[in-house]
């Protein structure tokens, strides 16, 4: 129970920083877009953009994993 509460606090804190409400469907859609972008060889010629895409992708993967853990507990 306390682990679930901690995860909720982390998600809430993340949402406050992002200024929104977590929408898992939108997050999955955006993650799909980022995965496609990551497969584009041209992305890697712009290291700043590649880093930004990969950072956002990692954050979404982590948020979705936490969300999934909450809904399955």
């Amino acid at each position: 129970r306390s682990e679930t509460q901690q995860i909720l606090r982390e998600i809430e804190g993340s949402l406050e920083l992002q200024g929104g409400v977590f929408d898992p469907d939108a997050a999955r859609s955006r993650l799909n877009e980022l995965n496609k972008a990551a497969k584009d060889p041209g992305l890697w010629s712009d290291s700043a953009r590649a880093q930004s895409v990969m950072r956002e992708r990692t954050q979404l993967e982590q948020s979705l994993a936490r969300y999934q853990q909450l809904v399955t507990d």
Side-chain angles (χ1 to χ4, degrees):
R1 175 99 176 136
S2 64
E3 182 180 342
T4 301
Q5 290 173 335
Q6 176 62 31
I7 293 169
L8 279 173
R9 282 193 294 274
E10 289 174 15
I11 291 173
E12 288 170 352
S14 176
L15 289 175
E16 286 176 15
L17 292 174
Q18 296 173 23
V21 174
F22 186 70
D23 180 345
D25 292 329
R28 284 185 199 97
S29 177
R30 179 64 179 151
L31 184 57
N32 286 335
E33 291 172 12
L34 294 169
N35 284 333
K36 287 179 187 174
K39 292 178 184 177
D40 178 7
L43 172 71
W44 303 101
S45 64
D46 180 349
S47 63
R49 176 152 161 55
Q51 187 176 32
S52 175
V53 166
M54 299 309 289
R55 185 180 309 116
E56 183 180 356
R57 184 177 134 182
T58 298
Q59 290 171 343
L60 281 172
E61 287 172 337
Q62 291 172 347
S63 294
L64 284 166
R66 287 183 190 129
Y67 171 80
Q68 191 61 39
Q69 184 179 8
L70 288 173
V71 297
T72 57
D73 279 351

Coordinates of all heavy atoms in Angstrom, one line a residue:
R1 N 0.8 -1.2 0.0 CA 0.0 0.0 0.0 C 0.9 1.3 0.0 O 0.6 2.2 -0.7 CB -0.9 0.0 1.2 CG -1.8 1.2 1.4 CD -3.2 1.0 0.9 NE -3.9 2.2 1.2 CZ -4.7 2.8 0.3 NH1 -4.9 2.2 -0.9 NH2 -5.4 3.8 0.6
S2 N 1.9 1.3 0.8 CA 2.7 2.5 0.9 C 3.5 2.6 -0.4 O 3.8 3.8 -0.8 CB 3.7 2.4 2.1 OG 4.6 1.4 2.0
E3 N 3.9 1.5 -1.0 CA 4.6 1.6 -2.3 C 3.7 2.2 -3.4 O 4.1 3.1 -4.2 CB 5.0 0.2 -2.8 CG 5.8 0.2 -4.1 CD 6.3 -1.1 -4.5 OE1 6.3 -2.1 -3.7 OE2 6.6 -1.3 -5.7
T4 N 2.4 1.8 -3.4 CA 1.5 2.4 -4.4 C 1.3 3.9 -4.1 O 1.2 4.7 -5.0 CB 0.1 1.7 -4.2 OG1 0.3 0.3 -4.5 CG2 -0.9 2.3 -5.2
Q5 N 1.2 4.3 -2.8 CA 1.1 5.7 -2.5 C 2.3 6.5 -2.9 O 2.1 7.6 -3.4 CB 0.8 5.9 -1.0 CG -0.6 5.4 -0.6 CD -0.7 5.4 0.9 OE1 0.2 5.3 1.7 NE2 -2.0 5.5 1.4
Q6 N 3.5 5.9 -2.8 CA 4.7 6.6 -3.2 C 4.7 6.8 -4.8 O 5.0 7.8 -5.3 CB 5.9 5.8 -2.8 CG 7.2 6.3 -3.3 CD 7.5 7.7 -2.8 OE1 7.1 8.1 -1.7 NE2 8.2 8.5 -3.6
I7 N 4.2 5.8 -5.5 CA 4.2 5.9 -6.9 C 3.2 6.9 -7.3 O 3.5 7.7 -8.2 CB 3.8 4.5 -7.6 CG1 5.0 3.5 -7.4 CG2 3.5 4.6 -9.1 CD1 4.6 2.1 -7.7
L8 N 2.1 7.0 -6.7 CA 1.1 8.0 -6.9 C 1.6 9.4 -6.7 O 1.4 10.3 -7.5 CB -0.2 7.8 -6.1 CG -1.2 6.8 -6.6 CD1 -2.3 6.6 -5.5 CD2 -1.8 7.3 -7.9
R9 N 2.4 9.6 -5.6 CA 3.0 10.9 -5.3 C 4.0 11.3 -6.4 O 4.0 12.4 -6.9 CB 3.7 10.9 -4.0 CG 2.7 11.0 -2.8 CD 3.4 11.3 -1.5 NE 4.2 10.2 -1.1 CZ 3.8 9.2 -0.3 NH1 2.5 9.1 0.0 NH2 4.6 8.2 0.0
E10 N 4.7 10.3 -6.9 CA 5.7 10.6 -8.0 C 5.0 11.0 -9.3 O 5.4 11.9 -9.9 CB 6.6 9.3 -8.2 CG 7.5 9.0 -7.1 CD 8.3 7.7 -7.4 OE1 8.2 7.2 -8.5 OE2 8.9 7.2 -6.4
I11 N 3.9 10.3 -9.6 CA 3.2 10.6 -10.8 C 2.5 12.0 -10.7 O 2.6 12.8 -11.6 CB 2.1 9.6 -11.1 CG1 2.8 8.3 -11.6 CG2 1.2 10.0 -12.2 CD1 1.9 7.1 -11.8
E12 N 1.9 12.3 -9.5 CA 1.3 13.6 -9.3 C 2.4 14.7 -9.4 O 2.1 15.7 -10.0 CB 0.6 13.6 -7.9 CG -0.6 12.8 -7.9 CD -1.2 12.6 -6.5 OE1 -0.5 13.0 -5.5 OE2 -2.3 12.1 -6.3
G13 N 3.5 14.5 -8.8 CA 4.6 15.5 -8.9 C 5.0 15.7 -10.3 O 5.2 16.8 -10.7
S14 N 5.1 14.6 -11.1 CA 5.5 14.7 -12.5 C 4.4 15.5 -13.3 O 4.7 16.3 -14.1 CB 5.7 13.4 -13.1 OG 6.0 13.4 -14.4
L15 N 3.2 15.2 -13.0 CA 2.1 15.9 -13.7 C 2.1 17.4 -13.3 O 1.8 18.2 -14.2 CB 0.7 15.3 -13.3 CG 0.5 13.9 -13.8 CD1 -0.8 13.3 -13.3 CD2 0.5 13.9 -15.4
E16 N 2.3 17.7 -12.1 CA 2.4 19.1 -11.7 C 3.4 19.9 -12.5 O 3.2 21.0 -12.9 CB 2.6 19.3 -10.2 CG 1.4 18.9 -9.4 CD 1.6 19.0 -7.9 OE1 2.6 19.5 -7.5 OE2 0.8 18.4 -7.1
L17 N 4.6 19.2 -12.7 CA 5.7 19.8 -13.4 C 5.3 20.0 -14.9 O 5.7 21.0 -15.5 CB 6.9 19.0 -13.3 CG 7.6 19.0 -11.9 CD1 8.8 18.0 -11.9 CD2 8.1 20.4 -11.5
Q18 N 4.5 19.1 -15.4 CA 4.1 19.1 -16.8 C 2.9 20.0 -17.0 O 2.5 20.3 -18.1 CB 3.9 17.7 -17.3 CG 5.1 16.9 -17.3 CD 4.8 15.4 -17.7 OE1 3.8 15.1 -18.3 NE2 5.7 14.5 -17.3
G19 N 2.2 20.3 -15.9 CA 1.0 21.1 -16.0 C -0.2 20.4 -16.6 O -1.0 21.1 -17.3
G20 N -0.4 19.2 -16.4 CA -1.5 18.5 -17.0 C -2.0 17.3 -16.3 O -1.5 17.0 -15.2
V21 N -2.9 16.6 -16.9 CA -3.4 15.3 -16.4 C -2.9 14.2 -17.2 O -2.8 14.3 -18.4 CB -5.0 15.4 -16.5 CG1 -5.6 14.0 -16.0 CG2 -5.5 16.5 -15.6
F22 N -2.5 13.1 -16.6 CA -2.0 12.0 -17.3 C -3.0 11.3 -18.1 O -4.1 10.8 -17.6 CB -1.3 11.0 -16.3 CG -0.6 9.9 -17.1 CD1 0.6 10.1 -17.8 CD2 -1.1 8.6 -17.0 CE1 1.2 9.1 -18.4 CE2 -0.4 7.5 -17.7 CZ 0.7 7.8 -18.4
D23 N -2.8 11.2 -19.4 CA -3.8 10.5 -20.3 C -3.0 9.3 -20.9 O -2.2 9.5 -21.8 CB -4.2 11.5 -21.4 CG -5.1 10.9 -22.4 OD1 -5.3 9.6 -22.5 OD2 -5.8 11.6 -23.2
P24 N -3.2 8.1 -20.4 CA -2.5 7.0 -20.9 C -2.6 6.7 -22.4 O -1.6 6.3 -23.0 CB -3.0 5.8 -20.1 CG -4.3 6.3 -19.5 CD -4.2 7.7 -19.4
D25 N -3.8 7.0 -23.0 CA -3.9 6.7 -24.4 C -3.1 7.7 -25.2 O -2.4 7.4 -26.2 CB -5.4 6.8 -24.8 CG -6.2 5.7 -24.3 OD1 -5.7 4.6 -24.1 OD2 -7.4 5.9 -24.0
A26 N -3.1 9.0 -24.8 CA -2.3 10.0 -25.5 C -0.8 9.7 -25.3 O 0.0 9.9 -26.2 CB -2.6 11.4 -24.9
A27 N -0.4 9.2 -24.1 CA 1.0 8.9 -23.8 C 1.4 7.7 -24.7 O 2.5 7.7 -25.3 CB 1.2 8.5 -22.3
R28 N 0.6 6.7 -24.9 CA 0.9 5.6 -25.8 C 1.1 6.1 -27.2 O 2.0 5.6 -27.9 CB -0.1 4.5 -25.7 CG 0.0 3.7 -24.4 CD -1.0 2.5 -24.4 NE -1.2 2.0 -23.1 CZ -2.3 2.4 -22.3 NH1 -3.2 3.2 -22.7 NH2 -2.4 1.9 -21.1
S29 N 0.2 6.9 -27.6 CA 0.2 7.5 -29.0 C 1.5 8.2 -29.2 O 2.2 8.1 -30.2 CB -1.0 8.3 -29.3 OG -0.9 8.9 -30.5
R30 N 1.9 9.1 -28.3 CA 3.1 9.9 -28.4 C 4.3 9.0 -28.4 O 5.3 9.2 -29.1 CB 3.2 10.9 -27.2 CG 4.4 11.7 -27.2 CD 4.5 12.6 -28.5 NE 5.7 13.4 -28.4 CZ 6.4 13.9 -29.4 NH1 5.9 13.6 -30.7 NH2 7.4 14.6 -29.3
L31 N 4.3 7.9 -27.5 CA 5.4 7.0 -27.5 C 5.6 6.3 -28.8 O 6.7 6.1 -29.3 CB 5.2 6.0 -26.4 CG 6.3 5.0 -26.1 CD1 7.6 5.7 -25.8 CD2 5.9 4.0 -25.0
N32 N 4.5 5.9 -29.5 CA 4.6 5.3 -30.8 C 5.2 6.3 -31.8 O 6.1 5.9 -32.6 CB 3.2 4.9 -31.3 CG 2.7 3.7 -30.6 OD1 3.5 2.8 -30.1 ND2 1.4 3.5 -30.6
E33 N 4.9 7.6 -31.7 CA 5.5 8.6 -32.6 C 7.0 8.7 -32.3 O 7.8 8.7 -33.3 CB 4.9 10.0 -32.3 CG 3.4 10.1 -32.8 CD 2.8 11.4 -32.3 OE1 3.5 12.3 -31.9 OE2 1.6 11.5 -32.5
L34 N 7.4 8.7 -31.1 CA 8.8 8.8 -30.7 C 9.6 7.6 -31.1 O 10.7 7.7 -31.5 CB 8.9 9.0 -29.2 CG 8.4 10.4 -28.7 CD1 8.3 10.4 -27.2 CD2 9.2 11.5 -29.2
N35 N 8.9 6.4 -31.0 CA 9.6 5.2 -31.4 C 9.9 5.2 -32.9 O 10.9 4.8 -33.4 CB 8.8 3.9 -31.1 CG 8.9 3.6 -29.6 OD1 9.9 3.9 -28.9 ND2 7.8 3.0 -29.0
K36 N 8.9 5.7 -33.7 CA 9.1 5.8 -35.2 C 10.2 6.8 -35.4 O 11.1 6.6 -36.3 CB 7.8 6.3 -35.8 CG 6.7 5.2 -35.9 CD 5.5 5.8 -36.6 CE 4.4 4.7 -36.5 NZ 3.1 5.2 -37.0
A37 N 10.2 7.9 -34.7 CA 11.3 8.9 -34.9 C 12.6 8.4 -34.6 O 13.6 8.7 -35.3 CB 11.0 10.2 -34.1
A38 N 12.7 7.5 -33.6 CA 14.0 6.9 -33.2 C 14.6 6.0 -34.2 O 15.8 5.8 -34.3 CB 13.8 6.2 -31.8
K39 N 13.7 5.4 -35.0 CA 14.1 4.5 -36.1 C 14.6 5.3 -37.3 O 15.2 4.6 -38.2 CB 13.0 3.6 -36.5 CG 12.6 2.6 -35.4 CD 11.5 1.7 -35.8 CE 11.1 0.8 -34.6 NZ 9.9 0.0 -34.9
D40 N 14.3 6.5 -37.4 CA 14.8 7.3 -38.6 C 16.2 7.6 -38.5 O 16.7 8.3 -37.6 CB 14.0 8.6 -38.6 CG 14.3 9.6 -39.7 OD1 15.1 9.2 -40.6 OD2 13.8 10.7 -39.8
P41 N 17.0 7.2 -39.4 CA 18.5 7.4 -39.4 C 18.8 8.9 -39.4 O 19.9 9.3 -38.8 CB 19.0 6.7 -40.7 CG 17.9 5.8 -41.1 CD 16.6 6.3 -40.6
G42 N 18.0 9.7 -40.0 CA 18.2 11.2 -40.0 C 18.2 11.8 -38.7 O 18.8 12.9 -38.5
L43 N 17.5 11.2 -37.8 CA 17.4 11.8 -36.4 C 18.8 11.9 -35.8 O 19.1 12.9 -35.1 CB 16.5 10.9 -35.5 CG 16.4 11.3 -34.0 CD1 15.7 12.6 -33.8 CD2 15.8 10.2 -33.2
W44 N 19.6 10.9 -36.0 CA 20.9 10.8 -35.3 C 21.9 11.8 -35.8 O 23.0 12.0 -35.2 CB 21.4 9.4 -35.4 CG 20.3 8.5 -34.8 CD1 19.4 7.8 -35.4 CD2 20.0 8.4 -33.4 NE1 18.6 7.1 -34.6 CE2 18.9 7.5 -33.3 CE3 20.6 8.9 -32.2 CZ2 18.4 7.2 -32.1 CZ3 20.0 8.6 -31.0 CH2 18.9 7.7 -30.9
S45 N 21.6 12.5 -36.9 CA 22.5 13.6 -37.4 C 22.4 14.9 -36.6 O 23.2 15.8 -36.7 CB 22.3 13.8 -38.9 OG 21.0 14.4 -39.1
D46 N 21.3 15.0 -35.9 CA 21.0 16.1 -35.0 C 21.0 15.6 -33.5 O 20.0 15.1 -33.0 CB 19.7 16.8 -35.3 CG 19.3 18.0 -34.5 OD1 20.0 18.2 -33.5 OD2 18.4 18.6 -34.8
S47 N 22.2 15.7 -32.9 CA 22.4 15.1 -31.6 C 21.4 15.7 -30.5 O 20.9 15.0 -29.7 CB 23.8 15.1 -31.1 OG 24.2 16.4 -31.0
A48 N 21.2 17.0 -30.6 CA 20.3 17.6 -29.6 C 18.9 17.1 -29.8 O 18.2 16.8 -28.8 CB 20.4 19.1 -29.8
R49 N 18.4 17.0 -31.0 CA 17.1 16.5 -31.2 C 17.0 15.0 -30.8 O 16.0 14.6 -30.2 CB 16.6 16.6 -32.7 CG 15.3 16.0 -33.0 CD 14.6 16.7 -34.1 NE 13.5 15.9 -34.7 CZ 12.5 15.4 -34.1 NH1 12.3 15.6 -32.9 NH2 11.6 14.7 -34.8
A50 N 18.0 14.2 -31.2 CA 18.0 12.8 -30.8 C 17.9 12.6 -29.3 O 17.2 11.8 -28.8 CB 19.3 12.1 -31.4
Q51 N 18.7 13.4 -28.6 CA 18.7 13.4 -27.1 C 17.4 13.7 -26.6 O 16.9 13.1 -25.6 CB 19.8 14.3 -26.6 CG 20.0 14.2 -25.1 CD 21.1 15.1 -24.6 OE1 21.4 16.1 -25.2 NE2 21.8 14.6 -23.6
S52 N 16.7 14.8 -27.1 CA 15.4 15.2 -26.7 C 14.4 14.1 -26.9 O 13.5 13.8 -26.0 CB 15.0 16.5 -27.4 OG 13.7 16.8 -27.1
V53 N 14.4 13.5 -28.1 CA 13.4 12.4 -28.4 C 13.6 11.2 -27.5 O 12.7 10.7 -26.9 CB 13.6 11.9 -29.9 CG1 12.9 10.6 -30.1 CG2 13.1 13.0 -30.8
M54 N 14.9 10.8 -27.2 CA 15.1 9.7 -26.4 C 14.8 10.0 -24.9 O 14.3 9.1 -24.2 CB 16.6 9.3 -26.5 CG 17.0 8.8 -27.9 SD 15.9 7.6 -28.6 CE 16.3 6.2 -27.6
R55 N 15.0 11.2 -24.5 CA 14.7 11.6 -23.1 C 13.1 11.5 -22.9 O 12.6 11.0 -21.9 CB 15.2 13.0 -22.8 CG 15.0 13.4 -21.3 CD 15.5 14.8 -21.0 NE 16.9 15.0 -21.5 CZ 17.2 15.9 -22.4 NH1 16.4 16.6 -23.0 NH2 18.5 16.0 -22.8
E56 N 12.4 12.1 -23.9 CA 10.9 12.1 -23.7 C 10.4 10.7 -23.8 O 9.5 10.3 -23.1 CB 10.3 12.9 -24.9 CG 8.8 13.0 -24.7 CD 8.1 13.8 -25.8 OE1 8.8 14.4 -26.7 OE2 6.9 13.9 -25.8
R57 N 11.0 9.9 -24.7 CA 10.6 8.5 -24.8 C 10.8 7.7 -23.5 O 9.9 7.0 -23.1 CB 11.4 7.8 -25.9 CG 11.1 6.4 -26.3 CD 11.9 6.0 -27.4 NE 12.4 4.6 -27.1 CZ 13.2 4.0 -27.9 NH1 13.6 4.5 -29.0 NH2 13.6 2.8 -27.6
T58 N 11.9 7.9 -22.9 CA 12.2 7.2 -21.6 C 11.2 7.7 -20.5 O 10.7 6.8 -19.8 CB 13.7 7.5 -21.1 OG1 14.6 7.0 -22.1 CG2 14.0 6.9 -19.8
Q59 N 10.9 9.0 -20.5 CA 10.0 9.5 -19.5 C 8.6 8.9 -19.7 O 7.9 8.5 -18.7 CB 9.9 11.0 -19.5 CG 11.2 11.7 -19.0 CD 11.2 13.2 -19.2 OE1 10.5 13.7 -20.1 NE2 12.1 13.9 -18.6
L60 N 8.2 8.8 -20.9 CA 6.8 8.2 -21.2 C 6.8 6.8 -20.9 O 5.8 6.3 -20.3 CB 6.5 8.4 -22.7 CG 6.0 9.8 -23.0 CD1 5.8 10.0 -24.5 CD2 4.6 10.1 -22.3
E61 N 7.9 6.0 -21.2 CA 7.9 4.6 -20.9 C 7.8 4.4 -19.4 O 7.1 3.5 -18.9 CB 9.2 4.0 -21.4 CG 9.2 3.8 -22.9 CD 10.6 3.4 -23.4 OE1 11.6 3.6 -22.7 OE2 10.6 2.8 -24.5
Q62 N 8.5 5.2 -18.6 CA 8.5 5.1 -17.1 C 7.1 5.5 -16.6 O 6.6 4.8 -15.7 CB 9.6 6.0 -16.5 CG 11.0 5.5 -16.8 CD 12.0 6.5 -16.3 OE1 11.8 7.6 -16.0 NE2 13.3 6.0 -16.3
S63 N 6.5 6.5 -17.1 CA 5.2 6.9 -16.6 C 4.1 5.9 -17.0 O 3.3 5.6 -16.1 CB 4.8 8.3 -17.3 OG 5.6 9.3 -16.9
L64 N 4.2 5.3 -18.2 CA 3.3 4.3 -18.5 C 3.5 3.0 -17.7 O 2.5 2.3 -17.3 CB 3.4 3.9 -20.0 CG 2.7 5.0 -20.9 CD1 3.2 4.8 -22.4 CD2 1.2 4.9 -20.8
A65 N 4.7 2.7 -17.4 CA 5.0 1.5 -16.5 C 4.4 1.7 -15.1 O 3.8 0.8 -14.6 CB 6.5 1.2 -16.5
R66 N 4.6 2.9 -14.6 CA 4.0 3.2 -13.3 C 2.5 3.2 -13.3 O 1.9 2.6 -12.4 CB 4.5 4.6 -12.8 CG 5.9 4.6 -12.4 CD 6.3 6.0 -11.9 NE 7.7 6.1 -11.7 CZ 8.5 7.1 -12.2 NH1 7.9 8.1 -12.9 NH2 9.8 7.1 -12.0
Y67 N 1.9 3.8 -14.3 CA 0.5 3.7 -14.5 C 0.0 2.3 -14.5 O -1.0 2.0 -13.8 CB 0.1 4.5 -15.7 CG -1.4 4.4 -16.0 CD1 -2.3 5.2 -15.3 CD2 -1.8 3.5 -17.0 CE1 -3.7 5.0 -15.6 CE2 -3.2 3.4 -17.3 CZ -4.1 4.2 -16.6 OH -5.4 4.0 -16.9
Q68 N 0.6 1.5 -15.4 CA 0.2 0.1 -15.5 C 0.3 -0.6 -14.2 O -0.6 -1.4 -13.8 CB 1.0 -0.6 -16.6 CG 0.5 -1.9 -17.0 CD -0.9 -1.8 -17.6 OE1 -1.3 -0.9 -18.3 NE2 -1.8 -2.8 -17.2
Q69 N 1.3 -0.4 -13.4 CA 1.5 -1.0 -12.1 C 0.3 -0.6 -11.2 O -0.2 -1.4 -10.4 CB 2.8 -0.6 -11.5 CG 3.1 -1.3 -10.2 CD 4.5 -0.8 -9.6 OE1 5.1 0.1 -10.1 NE2 4.9 -1.5 -8.6
L70 N -0.1 0.6 -11.3 CA -1.2 1.1 -10.4 C -2.5 0.5 -10.8 O -3.2 0.1 -9.9 CB -1.3 2.6 -10.5 CG -0.2 3.4 -9.8 CD1 -0.4 4.9 -10.1 CD2 -0.2 3.2 -8.3
V71 N -2.8 0.3 -12.0 CA -4.1 -0.2 -12.4 C -4.1 -1.7 -12.3 O -5.2 -2.3 -12.2 CB -4.5 0.2 -13.9 CG1 -4.6 1.7 -14.0 CG2 -3.5 -0.3 -14.9
T72 N -3.0 -2.4 -12.2 CA -3.0 -3.8 -12.0 C -2.9 -4.2 -10.6 O -3.1 -5.4 -10.2 CB -1.9 -4.5 -12.8 OG1 -0.7 -4.0 -12.5 CG2 -2.1 -4.3 -14.3
D73 N -2.6 -3.3 -9.7 CA -2.5 -3.7 -8.2 C -3.8 -3.8 -7.6 O -4.8 -3.2 -7.9 CB -1.6 -2.6 -7.5 CG -0.1 -2.9 -7.7 OD1 0.2 -3.9 -8.2 OD2 0.6 -2.0 -7.3

